Amino acid sequence: MSDNLYDLFQARFRQYRDKPAFILTEGTSWSYGALDDLAARFAALLGTHGVRPGDRVVMQVDKSVGAVACYLACLRVGAIIIPLNTAYTDAEVAYFLEDAAPRIFICRPEKYADFQPLVARLGVAHLKILGPEPGAHWWADALATPPQERIEPRSKDDLAAILYTSGTTGKPKGAMLSHDNLASNALTLLDYWAFEEGDVLLHALPIFHVHGLFVALHTAFLNGSTVIFLEKFDVSLVRRHLKKATILMGVPTFYSRLLDDPGFGRADCEGMRLFISGSAPMTAQLHRAFEERTGHCILERYGMTETGMITSNPYDGARLAGTVGYALPGIAVRIADEAGTLLGAGETGVVEVKGPNVFKGYWRMAEKTAEEFRADGYFITGDVGHLDEDGRLTLEGRAKDLIISGGLNIYPKEIEACLDALPGVRESAVIGLPDADFGEAVAAVIVPEGGEELSEEGVRAAVAEKLARFKHPKVYYFVDELPRNSMGKVQKNLLRQRYGTSPAA
Ligand code: MLC
Ligand code: AMP
C-alpha cells in the first residue's frame, strides 16, 4: 500500500467532487473535482518536463489555486516541493536554488527575465512562469495537457517537501518533511480540532510556510471543507468574509490588527466556530481582549517547520491564555536542560519532541541534523518552557537567537553577517524589540569603523539588495562599542534593555 499523502486527499476530493474547494475574493470558485483534475494536469506536465520521484521543484509564486495545484501535482508524482517566500530577494533565491538543485524553478511572471541567467548558470533544467490567473504560461500549459491519473507510490519516509528555515549560523537549512510527517499531523489536527461537516476555512495566510500550506489546507482538504482563499491578510477583507466562515487560522498579528479596528466585534463572528493562533507567542492580554470583544476564546497551538504542530490547547476544555496546551496525540514532549538531563514538572528548560511529525533532517546537512537530535530520537526545538503536572506546556522564551516578527522567523545572525560585510561597519548586533503590531521588530546596533561616516540610508539600501523586506531592521542605532561579557560575547540582553522602550517602528 502506498503512503502518498495525495491518496488521502484524493479520497476526499472524489467524495466532495462537486463541492467548492476554493472560493476566491472576486467570487470565482473551484470544486474539489476541478482541483483534482488540475493537479492531475500539472502532474502530467511535470512528467513531460522530466520530473521524476525525488526531484525537487522550487516555487516562488503568488498565492493562487494554480500554486496549490502545483504543490498537489508534486505530491502526485513523488517530487519534492520547495515553496519560497515571495519576499526573498534574488540573492536569497540564488542560495536556495544552488542548495536544492531543483529540476524546475517556477517563478512569478515579472521575475522571469531576472532569473534566466541564474537558472542557466546553476544548470536548472526549466524555468517556468506561474501567475495568479489561469489563462497564461505554466497554468495554461497544464490546462492544455491531458491529466495523468497515476499517483506515484510513496513510502512513509519518502520526502514530500523541503521548507527552508534560517538557522542560528545564518545559513538557511532545508527541513525535509516526509509524506507521513504531513499526513500524520493533518489527521491528528482534524480530529483534535473537531472539524465537522459544514466547516468553512477563511484562509489569509501565505502558502509558503507550514501554517498556511500544511496546517490550514491539509485539514480543510481532509474535511472536504470549502476554503475562502484571500490573497493576503487584510482587516477589511477578513471582516467581509468572516461571516461566511467557521474557522480562521492566524498569527497573533492577525488578531491584534482585527482588534485595532474599532468596528470589529461579535457581529463579524456570528457563524464562527473556532479561532486558532500560532507561529508566534500570543500575549495573555491579547487573548483576553479578543474574548471580551468577540466572545470567542482563541485556541493557541505551538509548532515548528521541522515538526509541524506539537502541542495545542484543547478543543473541549480550558484554553488558557499564555499556554500552548498539551502534546498532540502520538507526540511526546519533554523538558531538558542544555546537557540533555530531563527536568520535572514546573522546571524550566528546552522543549524536546519526538513523534511521527518530526522531520527527517536538514537537506544535505547531516552534521547539523545530528547536533539537533538526542541519541534517543528527540528533536531539540530550541524553545524554552515548562510543563505543568498535568502536561500543559507554557513557553517562556527561546534558547536560540531568533526573532519572530508577525509570525515570520528572522535569525539575527543572517542580518549581522550582511551588515558586517558592509564597508564602514566594524561589527553589529541584531536584536528583537517589543512591537505592538508584529510582536517583535528587528533592530540593528552598529559599530562603525573608526573614523568612518556611515549613513543609515546607505546601510538600508545595501541591506535591501540582499535581504527580504521583512528581515530589514526597522530601526538602527549607531554606537561606539557593543557591551560584552568576560568571555567576549555580546550581551544582547543589555541591548534589549537599553533600546526596548524606544519606538521600534
Ligand atoms: C511584512 N513586513 C514585515 C512582516 N510582514 N516586517 C516584519 N515582520 C513581518 N511579518 C514588512 C513589509 O515588507 C513592509 O515593509 C512592512 O513590513 C509593512 O507591511 P504590511 O503591509 O503591514 O505587512 P503585511 O503584508 O500586512 O504582512 C503582515 C502579516 C504577514 C503579519 C499579515 O507578515 C503574515 O501573513 N505573516 C504570517 C507569516 C506566517 O504564515 N508564519 C507562519 C510560519 S510557520 P516596507 O519596508 O515595505 O514598509 C511556523 C510554524 C507554526 O511558524 O507554528 O506555525
Ligand atoms: P518556524 O521555524 O517558522 O516554524 O517557527 C517555529 C517557532 O515559532 C517555534 O520554534 C517557536 O519559537 C515559535 N512558535 C510557534 N508557535 C508558537 C506559539 N504558539 N507561541 C510561541 N511561539 C511559537
Side-chain angles (χ1 to χ4, degrees):
M1 221 204 90
S2 167
D3 289 298
N4 193 317
L5 171 62
Y6 197 84
D7 287 326
L8 274 184
F9 291 152
Q10 197 176 51
R12 306 303 206 280
F13 292 178
R14 292 198 163 155
Q15 187 182 347
Y16 296 99
R17 175 156 285 281
D18 298 323
K19 189 175 171 183
F22 288 105
I23 296 180
L24 309 182
T25 39
E26 81 280 9
T28 323
S29 74
W30 287 78
S31 69
Y32 269 112
L35 181 64
D36 191 26
D37 177 71
L38 184 60
R41 290 173 191 275
F42 272 118
L45 196 55
L46 289 170
T48 60
H49 286 76
V51 174
R52 300 284 166 260
D55 282 350
R56 275 80 56 211
V57 174
V58 173
M59 189 160 76
Q60 190 194 33
V61 296
D62 289 319
K63 190 173 172 181
S64 71
V65 173
V68 175
C70 264
Y71 158 54
L72 295 174
C74 287
L75 293 179
R76 291 180 69 119
V77 303
I80 303 168
I81 187 77
I82 303 175
L84 296 183
N85 192 330
T86 45
Y88 288 143
T89 61
D90 296 2
E92 289 168 312
V93 171
Y95 171 85
F96 297 123
L97 290 182
E98 191 154 11
D99 191 58
R103 174 143 191 101
I104 300 196
F105 174 34
I106 306 169
C107 72
R108 289 164 290 174
E110 64 275 20
K111 294 301 296 177
Y112 184 74
D114 292 344
F115 285 135
Q116 262 181 326
L118 176 67
V119 157
R121 178 167 68 79
L122 296 177
V124 177
H126 302 284
L127 176 64
K128 294 291 166 187
I129 299 173
L130 184 77
E133 300 302 329
H137 309 298
W138 183 242
W139 193 332
D141 295 346
L143 290 172
T145 307
Q148 176 188 303
E149 295 308 330
R150 178 185 155 84
I151 296 173
E152 187 66 28
R154 295 280 82 190
S155 66
K156 280 186 176 354
D157 288 345
D158 282 329
L159 298 188
I162 296 177
L163 264 66
Y164 278 92
T165 140
S166 290
T168 39
T169 53
K171 209 172 154 198
K173 301 167 290 184
M176 301 189 287
L177 297 163
S178 70
H179 282 257
D180 191 52
N181 287 152
L182 303 181
S184 65
N185 215 228
L187 288 167
T188 299
L189 296 174
L190 186 73
D191 188 51
Y192 205 79
W193 293 339
F195 273 77
E196 59 190 35
E197 188 77 34
D199 268 333
V200 175
L201 175 79
L202 183 55
H203 192 296
L205 288 158
I207 54 165
F208 35 71
H209 294 300
V210 161
H211 198 163
L213 186 61
F214 300 150
V215 182
L217 287 183
H218 288 181
T219 48
F221 288 169
L222 291 181
N223 196 53
S225 280
T226 297
V227 178
I228 303 176
F229 210 43
L230 308 184
E231 303 88 86
K232 62 174 288 226
F233 178 83
D234 171 88
V235 170
S236 59
L237 257 187
V238 167
R239 284 192 61 192
R240 184 154 11 112
H241 292 278
L242 204 52
K243 294 188 181 69
K244 293 165 271 172
T246 64
I247 303 177
L248 177 72
M249 297 187 194
V251 297
T253 301
F254 284 18
Y255 296 105
S256 61
R257 286 189 181 181
L258 282 168
L259 289 184
D260 284 345
D261 179 344
F264 173 73
R266 283 177 192 259
D268 295 276
C269 310
E270 269 166 2
M272 286 296 290
R273 179 174 76 77
L274 188 57
F275 288 94
I276 300 176
S277 178
S279 308
M282 166 161 279
T283 62
Q285 192 190 7
L286 175 56
H287 194 271
R288 291 193 193 108
F290 195 86
E291 188 167 7
E292 268 166 36
R293 180 89 69 88
T294 65
H296 283 273
C297 183
I298 293 172
L299 184 154
E300 188 175 2
R301 72 0 167 235
Y302 155 60
M304 277 184 88
T305 299
E306 289 91 333
T307 61
M309 300 302 98
I310 304 170
T311 70
S312 172
N313 270 276
Y315 182 71
D316 292 313
R319 300 178 194 164
L320 293 189
T323 85
V324 291
Y326 302 96
L328 288 164
I331 296 175
V333 170
R334 68 186 189 190
I335 305 290
D337 67 13
E338 298 267 326
T341 309
L342 297 189
L343 301 176
E347 293 184 293
T348 296
V350 177
V351 179
E352 298 186 355
V353 56
K354 189 175 178 180
N357 57 315
V358 175
F359 74 133
K360 301 290 156 199
Y362 296 111
W363 172 254
R364 292 179 176 165
M365 286 189 186
E367 263 179 46
K368 190 77 208 146
T369 304
E371 279 168 23
E372 304 206 8
F373 280 87
R374 297 285 178 207
D376 59 359
Y378 275 78
F379 171 63
I380 307 162
T381 63
D383 291 308
V384 171
H386 69 267
L387 289 166
D388 289 357
E389 290 290 346
D390 71 346
R392 186 185 276 274
L393 179 66
T394 302
L395 294 176
E396 295 165 64
R398 295 165 211 134
K400 52 198 173 190
D401 190 14
L402 162 69
I403 298 167
I404 302 185
S405 172
L408 293 173
N409 284 10
I410 299 166
Y411 280 87
K413 190 83 197 158
E414 191 181 355
I415 304 169
E416 288 160 3
C418 171
L419 294 172
D420 293 350
L422 299 179
V425 173
R426 174 175 299 166
E427 61 173 349
S428 63
V430 167
I431 52 173
L433 296 180
D435 182 88
D437 186 29
F438 290 128
E440 284 183 285
V442 178
V445 186
I446 293 183
V447 182
E449 283 293 358
E452 291 272 347
E453 264 298 303
L454 256 189
S455 83
E456 181 176 323
E457 210 177 307
V459 174
R460 280 187 186 276
V463 167
E465 270 181 35
K466 302 220 165 64
L467 300 176
R469 283 196 92 76
F470 68 88
K471 299 178 191 168
H472 295 188
K474 305 265 186 219
V475 62
Y476 284 89
Y477 301 102
F478 293 88
V479 298
D480 291 334
E481 60 178 355
L482 296 173
R484 289 182 187 279
N485 65 15
S486 54
M487 311 282 288
K489 195 167 184 290
V490 175
Q491 292 170 300
K492 290 197 171 180
N493 55 333
L494 293 185
L495 292 174
R496 280 189 287 266
Q497 275 168 25
R498 188 184 303 165
Y499 299 114
T501 50
S502 308

